[in-house]
Amino acid sequence: MATAAKSRSANGERGGRPNTGLTVERALDALELLAGRGDGVGVGELARALGVSSPSAHRLLSTLHARGYARQDPVTARYAIGLRCFSLATLATADLDLRTAAAPHLRRLNERTGETVHLALYADGEVIYIDRLEGAHPIGPISRIGARAPAHCVSTGRAILAFAPDDEIDALLARGLEGFTTHTATTRAALDADRERVRRRGYAVNEGSWRAEIGGVAAPVRDFSGQVKASVGVCLPAQRFSAKARPELIRHTVDAAAGISANLGFVVPGALN
């Protein structure tokens, strides 16, 4: 006598009918695996990774290939992520405004620190403040949306420069690094040391390198591809940027950058494993 319900088959079917939720989950698992493997994935390898039969893995890959979500190397027969995934990502992010993605995190950072908050982009050796929230204190830095500052001096600029390609750094150095205070980095050696420090720490610190009386901390914002797209930072008078206050300012700033990055589609490598 047949049982009331057949056991689930390797391809996610129950009672001969597809389990849609499981099928979608396995398709997403397959796409994530393909995206993380530059050398491609074979049918057997995918089957083992997903815990399904080879025929089921082959059907899944064939469907993804037919829809453009996977491509197959004609020589090795291995599968890799397809161009349609990139086109969908481009469409999704094209309409995702950076300021909209950042807004709740800027507000939270502003509330947590009580200091002036900036969201900045980089262009031709400068940062441009595309959003700003006023601090709660009667005395604070003077800035406005649309204002510019030399990137090698301010923390928002240095948080971006730390991850800039070498040709951009070369162009910046060719224009010359103007010194504004005794703390301004004006040589390649000083700039390279700062960039390495920012990459290691995950944030940049400004201790009066543009205006002697102003300090700040900033962290990079990444988009879905992992590229540094912008930066977020707090800016405050030097007397409030004390050694005691600094750890909390850094923590809240790094948290805000991570939240904005997540809203832009960035996933920390290994976070899904």
Side-chain angles (χ1 to χ4, degrees):
M1 181 177 178
T3 57
K6 295 181 181 179
S7 61
R8 182 177 296 166
S9 67
N11 65 354
E13 297 179 351
R14 184 185 293 276
R17 301 182 64 183
N19 182 328
T20 305
L22 185 59
T23 302
V24 172
E25 183 177 350
R26 291 221 168 114
L28 293 174
D29 287 341
L31 286 173
E32 290 177 357
L33 184 62
L34 293 177
R37 293 292 301 273
D39 58 344
V41 176
V43 173
E45 187 177 354
L46 182 69
R48 291 189 294 273
L50 300 186
V52 300
S53 66
S54 290
S56 295
H58 186 265
R59 283 195 297 272
L60 179 56
L61 286 169
S62 296
T63 300
L64 293 174
H65 182 262
R67 298 292 298 273
Y69 293 101
R71 54 187 171 83
Q72 187 179 29
D73 188 305
V75 177
T76 66
R78 295 171 71 81
Y79 290 84
I81 199 74
L83 291 177
R84 188 159 190 187
C85 291
F86 294 103
S87 64
L88 287 179
T90 300
L91 288 172
T93 56
D95 294 332
L96 184 57
D97 180 77
L98 175 59
R99 291 182 63 185
T100 300
H105 300 285
L106 294 182
R107 287 195 299 270
R108 189 173 299 114
L109 179 60
N110 180 248
E111 292 166 359
R112 286 175 170 178
T113 64
E115 302 294 352
T116 299
V117 172
H118 291 125
L119 180 67
L121 295 176
Y122 176 84
D124 298 325
E126 297 179 313
V127 286
I128 306 168
Y129 300 127
I130 63 171
D131 208 346
R132 176 189 185 276
L133 296 180
E134 185 75 42
H137 300 277
I139 298 176
I142 299 173
S143 62
R144 59 180 173 77
I145 295 176
R148 294 171 178 255
H152 68 288
C153 296
V154 295
S155 58
T156 46
R158 285 154 52 190
I160 298 173
L161 286 177
F163 302 92
D166 290 340
D167 57 352
E168 180 57 45
I169 300 301
D170 292 339
L172 179 64
L173 290 165
R175 288 191 290 266
L177 302 180
E178 183 177 355
F180 294 89
T181 74
T182 57
H183 297 287
T184 306
T186 58
T187 66
R188 175 181 284 275
L191 184 63
D192 286 346
D194 184 71
R195 295 175 68 221
E196 192 281 327
R197 186 162 49 246
V198 172
R199 289 193 294 267
R200 185 178 71 251
R201 291 175 170 176
Y203 60 88
V205 173
N206 167 20
E207 297 179 276
S209 56
W210 187 31
R211 301 286 185 256
E213 70 279 8
I214 298 295
V217 58
V221 171
R222 298 178 183 273
D223 65 11
F224 72 98
S225 70
Q227 296 297 307
V228 172
K229 182 181 183 70
S231 64
V232 60
V234 294
C235 187
L236 64 161
Q239 61 265 32
R240 291 204 299 271
F241 197 43
S242 64
K244 182 178 180 180
R246 202 167 298 186
E248 188 172 359
L249 291 170
I250 291 170
R251 178 168 59 86
H252 291 321
T253 301
V254 170
D255 285 349
I260 300 170
S261 299
N263 279 358
L264 293 175
F266 176 64
V267 177
V268 178
L272 300 180
N273 294 336

